[in-house]
């Protein structure tokens, strides 16, 4: 038997077998490998398995442990159809990757299948929560106290009217609400809680004591105790299982003391807002329409959305408005409980008032807080049974509860990061302002000699000035005596007389000092008046947000000067127009310096229609020559391409007639009538009907980076653009980041794992952040949080973008996590495979997802990029947008956004080609009357109707029922879309794995044929949430069962992170790999597969690190962190381990806490497995 290193991969090509090259062998592990994965070739291995189309599946050992059954036989006719489909897409016979087989002992699977296993785990994890919650909804809250006690801490109110001070509410289930005085910062002010037996109120020390100065830092003593006494010291690990219910309870949770302990309590939080959104929530467009309908808004965007043709119906339906509402407590209470609107006037006291205002209105404000508790309880009573009806699988609830336990740890580096970012930002902003001031001052000098009139950027600014005027002198009546004196003075004027004459002119000065007389109006608008509080000399109001900034920078778009139109927003001027020269009816255009514009713009190329064949060849040769010598010929090539396609054709456009034949863009708009120029709009990312408000805004950063937007004002202006880009991230996020609620922990608040670690610094700072996550913040049940769930990765030219890396482990702990590889793409692909042939990889999309390789250009993104002529990164955007239900309109807009030089016709053509090849064409096919219309049964044998590649969104294409059906055929993703649409159009759309039902406001019976994009998107996105919930449930089971010391931290997009005791980090990594395996197997099983491909069974790598970052070796150098994490913060690189390395470090895949030195003879016996046979089983789903 040959010994092959674990990192070495086999590539299987039909008829051949070869090893990949340039791989460093792990020779020191070679002796250990045969125990837990095979190093035999495919032919000699006893564990190797593949499906009928040659895709490697799970090893025999793993397959038997999970599925317990052999894969189903595939009929020859079905195989013939599959092979034909793969041949059409040039995939059949392509080389396939062969991985070393993985085989180790898994934890025992409960029940007869993987679904029963997950049900068992979730039921056990939610049993006490469901029991306590059911008691809460079956009870009536006691009457609210007539008078609230004004005292520190908690007060309990009994049925008999008694009021007793207590340490904390000793209840298993509570409805809870917190109020915070905004002017006091992140400190809780008061709170109320209720249960069937009592009411509780809580008052902060700050409310009772009027100290001169309080510490700005938040400590545990400032928070609300729920399970510990006030001066507990090191907390007890003997926590009780409890339930707290609230509306947006993630906010309330952040003020509870015990939630900040690393080894926190067993309290679970149920969010009534999440329950509402999951069952009756609105999409973003529905919220806009709901508000518009309620308020009668006539905004342009609202009118467009409300009048847009929906799926062929004459007018949209509004029935969905009766099934849902907005997410605030008042609207949710009115909708579900049919109650009166909640009185929210008192809320203004907490938003704008002071602590004295709260003290004066204490009784009313405490009653207001308690009223929210009553409303929340009534909402919970209504939504709790509805939630179980619509989400019957227990994993959904268990996953949402786990998502509500997010936790971050920070240290002194957090304050250092904020200080460095703020200082760097202020320095850059100061430099930016000085440069803009310099440009403004230089431009102001053009007033002399009217030189501004020859500037194609500054010509239309307001150059009017105000002269300095004195008051008229007071004329005195002349007497004879005065006349005599004047005669004498005429004879001789002394020096004193001259001084007095000058001093008397002060009487002529105006009482109010004039604001910069003699300066142009646009310059005066940038300067503060001297009587203003923020006065500073010069144009101190200037910034990149003011409208004059792009003109002062002399910005160009593709070499043409930018220009602002009140009607169309920012655009640019293209010269050499002849049909409007001499027109003086436009006062704006009469003064335009046409000659100056032509002098700075390139001469237009000759019209091909007037060129001979030899002249065309010469032009082509010149372009090739430029390219050969490395010059930028991209623009010339783009123009030549456009020329040849539009030769002797004048552009047909409703925007303007007879535009420049050599230039394409959004225009021309000839209502901007400037002699000798065409006006084109700068493209907006949301389409032609939108205006660009600022070419220096965030959306334009990519155009600055690729050189589309440049400056003609020299090095200073280029530096301004660079500084603007560097400041953009911190400018947009500084408030949310700096206002994060950090609770700093004392030594007694930390576990001994931390304080006894050699790296613990007794003088250091250790703190915690509780992200205020809404566990189901969208109709797809995606979690929502304002800062962390949208945080970007570090960019070398963005101040403060190293944010995530500032979440750092305490001593003795590590972050263990992984990114789910192409999660949503695989979900979509396996749905298509199940719909077509029931074999993994039987569709082109499925094969590319499982076997496609970037190096060979056979993965989905590479094929799309080659097809349309775009970058692979851009292709990713197209592919995921298409999977989420976006149509050709989206593709056209995106193509023109990525390449603004494309004509509309070219973008439409490229989008049509892409959608024909991927989504295919839609044909009307006959279906059986018995309703057994499998969306993947084909449909390509009939062609009663067909889309001819015309530009339209798929929202306009809904299959009529019941005799015929419209199906996608011929594309690499046709079967996937047939499956998605069959689910979205069913009478009760449910996710295929956990059976979660779509929001009531999106069900077909109330939306008819509208919001199709959102409904298709829901299938994929909500299935991805099912995936996450399965992972969370599985990880919690493994952590609890094998006593892995760790806790869930956060899930961002497709990645999960856990905070784990350093001694258990490799066991946690193995748990993650097992979790991914079982989760994917659950998806496969629920889609009628009895197998899983090896390539998706395990994470490509599990990250073990001491901070949050995209990759463990990123140093995250930014303008605010120029030294990087290693030198600037002392954070070393982490490690990333694949399944083979993890198996090696865990004694052949053992989750047991026993840590023994690996010996060769250990591999001769079976590894020790978990003793889980004695675990109690949980009955059917609650």
């Amino acid at each position: 038997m040959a010994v092959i290193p674990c990192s070495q991969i086999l590539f299987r090509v039909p008829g051949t077998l070869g090893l990949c090259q340039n791989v460093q062998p792990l020779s020191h592990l070679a002796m250990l490998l045969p125990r837990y994965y095979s190093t035999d070739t495919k032919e000699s291995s006893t564990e190797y398995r593949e499906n009928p189309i040659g895709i490697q599946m799970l090893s025999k050992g793993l397959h038997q442990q999970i599925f317990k059954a052999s894969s189903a036989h595939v009929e020859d006719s079905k195989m013939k159809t599959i092979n034909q489909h793969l041949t059409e897409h040039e995939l059949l016979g392509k080389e396939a990757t062969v991985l070393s087989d993985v085989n180790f002992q898994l934890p025992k699977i409960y029940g007869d299948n993987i679904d029963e296993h997950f049900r068992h785990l979730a039921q056990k994890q939610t049993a006490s929560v469901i029991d306590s919650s059911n008691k809460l909804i079956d009870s009536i809250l006691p009457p609210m106290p007539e008078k609230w006690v004004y005292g520190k801490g908690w007060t309990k109110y009994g049925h008999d009217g008694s009021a007793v001070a207590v340490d904390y509410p000793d209840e298993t289930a509570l409805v809870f609400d917190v109020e915070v005085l905004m002017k006091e910062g992140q400190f809780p002010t008061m709170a109320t809680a209720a249960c069937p037996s009592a009411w509780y109120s809580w008052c902060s020390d700050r409310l009772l004591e009027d100290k001169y100065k309080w510490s700005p830092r938040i400590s545990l003593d400032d928070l609300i105790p729920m399970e510990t006494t006030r001066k507990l010291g090191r907390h007890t690990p003997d926590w009780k299982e409890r339930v707290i219910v609230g509306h947006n309870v993630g906010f309330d949770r952040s003020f509870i003391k015990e939630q900040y302990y690393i080894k926190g309590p067993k309290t679970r939080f149920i969010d009534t807002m999440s329950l509402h959104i999951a069952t009756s929530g609105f999409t973003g467009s529905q919220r806009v329409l709901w508000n518009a309908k309620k308020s009668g808004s006539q905004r342009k965007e609202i009118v467009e959305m409300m009048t847009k043709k929906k799926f062929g119906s004459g007018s949209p339906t509004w029935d969905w408005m009766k099934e849902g509402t907005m997410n605030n407590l008042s609207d949710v209470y009115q909708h579900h409980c049919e109650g009166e609107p909640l009185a929210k006037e008192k809320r203004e006291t907490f938003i704008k008032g002071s602590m004295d205002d709260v003290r004066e209105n204490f009784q009313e404000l405490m009653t207001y807080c308690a009223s929210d508790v009553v409303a929340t309880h009534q909402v919970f009573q209504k939504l709790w049974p509805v939630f179980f009806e619509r989400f019957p699988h227990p994993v959904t609830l268990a996953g949402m509860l786990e998502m509500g336990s997010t936790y971050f740890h920070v240290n002194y580096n957090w304050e250092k990061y904020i200080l460095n970012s703020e200082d760097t930002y202020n320095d850059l902003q100061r430099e930016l302002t000085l440069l803009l001031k310099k440009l403004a001052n230089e431009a102001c000098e053009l007033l002399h000699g009217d030189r501004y009139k020859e500037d194609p950027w500054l010509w239309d600014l307001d150059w009017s000035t105000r002269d300095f005027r004195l008051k008229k002198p007071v004329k005195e009546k002349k007497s004879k005596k005065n006349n005599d004196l004047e005669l004498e003075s005429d004879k001789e004027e002394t020096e004193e007389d001259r001084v007095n004459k000058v001093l008397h002119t002060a009487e002529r000065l105006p009482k109010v000092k004039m604001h910069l007389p003699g300066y142009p109006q646009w310059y005066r608008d940038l300067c503060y008046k001297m009587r203003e509080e923020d006065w500073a000399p010069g144009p101190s109001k200037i910034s990149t947000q003011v409208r004059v900034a792009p003109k002062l920078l002399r910005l160009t778009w593709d070499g043409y000067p930018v220009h602002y139109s009140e009607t169309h927003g920012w655009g640019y001027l293209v010269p050499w127009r002849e049909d409007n020269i001499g027109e003086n009816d436009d006062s704006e255009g009469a003064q335009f310096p046409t000659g100056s514009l032509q002098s700075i713009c390139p001469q237009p190329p000759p019209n091909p229609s007037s060129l001979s064949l030899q002249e065309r060849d010469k032009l082509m040769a010149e372009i090739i020559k430029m390219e050969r010598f490395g010059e930028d010929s991209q623009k010339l090539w783009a123009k030549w391409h456009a020329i040849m396609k539009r030769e002797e054709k004048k552009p047909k456009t409703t925007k303007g007639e007879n535009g420049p034949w050599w230039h394409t863009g959004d225009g021309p708009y000839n209502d901007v009538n400037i002699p000798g120029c065409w006006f084109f709009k700068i493209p907006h990312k949301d389409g032609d009907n939108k205006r660009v408000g600022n070419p220096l805004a965030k959306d334009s950063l990519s155009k600055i980076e690729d050189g589309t937007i440049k400056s003609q004002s020299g090095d200073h202006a280029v530096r301004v653009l660079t500084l603007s880009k560097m400041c953009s991230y911190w400018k947009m996020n500084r408030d949310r980041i700096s206002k994060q609620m950090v609770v700093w922990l004392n030594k007694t608040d930390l576990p001994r794992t931390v304080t006894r670690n050699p790296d613990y610094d007794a003088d250091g700072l250790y703190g915690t952040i509780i992200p205020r996550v809404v566990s189901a913040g969208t109709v797809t049940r995606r979690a929502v949080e304002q800062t962390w769930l949208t945080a970007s990765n570090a960019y070398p030219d963005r101040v403060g973008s190293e944010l995530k890396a500032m979440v750092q482990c305490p001593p003795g702990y590590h972050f263990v996590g992984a990114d789910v590889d192409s999660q949503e793409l695989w979900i979509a692909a396996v749905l298509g495979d199940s719909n077509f042939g029931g074999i993994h990889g039987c569709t082109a999309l499925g094969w590319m997802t499982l076997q496609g390789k970037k190096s060979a250009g056979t993965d989905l993104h590479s094929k799309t990029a080659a097809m349309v002529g775009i970058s692979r990164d851009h292709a990713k955007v197209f592919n995921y947008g298409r999977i989420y239900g976006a149509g050709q309109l989206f593709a056209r807009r995106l193509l023109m956004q990525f390449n603004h030089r494309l004509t509309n016709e070219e973008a439409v053509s490229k989008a049509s080609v892409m959608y024909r090849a991927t989504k295919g064409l839609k044909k009307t096919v006959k279906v059986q009357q018995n309703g057994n219309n499998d969306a993947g049964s084909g449909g390509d044998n009939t062609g009663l109707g067909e889309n001819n590649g015309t530009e339209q969104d798929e929202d306009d294409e809904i299959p009529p029922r019941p005799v015929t059906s419209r199906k996608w055929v011929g594309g690499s993703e046709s079967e996937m879309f047939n499956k998605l649409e069959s689910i979205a159009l069913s009478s009760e759309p449910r996710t295929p794995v956990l059976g979660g039902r779509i929001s009531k406001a999106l069900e077909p019976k109330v939306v008819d044929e509208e919001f199709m994009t959102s409904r298709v998107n829901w299938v994929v996105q909500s299935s991805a949430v099912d995936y996450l919930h399965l992972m969370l449930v599985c990880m919690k089971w493994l952590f609890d069962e094998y006593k892995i010391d760790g806790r869930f931290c956060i899930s961002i997009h497709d990645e999960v992170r856990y905070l784990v005791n350093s001694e258990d980090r490799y066991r946690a990594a193995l748990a993650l790999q097992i979790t991914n395996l079982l989760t994917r197997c659950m998806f496969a099983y629920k889609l009628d597969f009895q197998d899983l491909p090896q390539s998706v069974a395990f994470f490509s790598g599990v990250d073990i690190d001491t901070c949050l970052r995209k990759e463990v070796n990123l140093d995250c150098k930014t303008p605010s962190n120029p030294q990087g994490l290693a030198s600037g913060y002392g954070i070393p690189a982490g490690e990333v381990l694949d399944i083979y390395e993890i198996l090696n470090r865990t004694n052949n895949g053992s989750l047991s806490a026993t840590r023994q030195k690996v010996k060769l003879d250990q591999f001769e016996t079976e590894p020790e497995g978990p003793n889980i046979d004695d675990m109690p089983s949980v009955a059917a789903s609650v």
Side-chain angles (χ1 to χ4, degrees), residues 257-281:
K257 170 186 175 182
E258 293 77 12
Q259 293 300 308
Y260 289 85
Y261 291 133
I262 294 178
K263 296 185 177 182
K266 298 178 181 179
T267 303
R268 290 300 197 178
F269 294 85
I270 299 177
D271 183 17
T272 54
M273 185 165 77
S274 293
L275 299 182
H276 160 73
I277 294 172
T279 58
S280 306

Side-chain angles (χ1 to χ4, degrees), residues 788-800:
W788 298 104
L789 297 190
T790 59
S792 70
N793 298 316
Y795 288 91
D797 57 354
R798 303 285 197 279
V799 173

Side-chain angles (χ1 to χ4, degrees), residues 692 841 1063:
V692 172
E1063 292 184 354

Side-chain angles (χ1 to χ4, degrees), residues 52-53 74-84 839:
I53 58 176
V74 182
E75 298 177 357
D76 292 340
S77 59
K78 183 177 289 187
M79 281 304 307
K80 183 178 179 181
T81 303
I82 293 171
N83 289 336
Q84 180 182 355
I839 303 175

Side-chain angles (χ1 to χ4, degrees), residues 250-261:
F251 174 81
D252 302 315
R253 173 179 173 250
S254 66
F255 298 102
I256 295 178
K257 170 186 175 182
E258 293 77 12
Q259 293 300 308
Y260 289 85
Y261 291 133

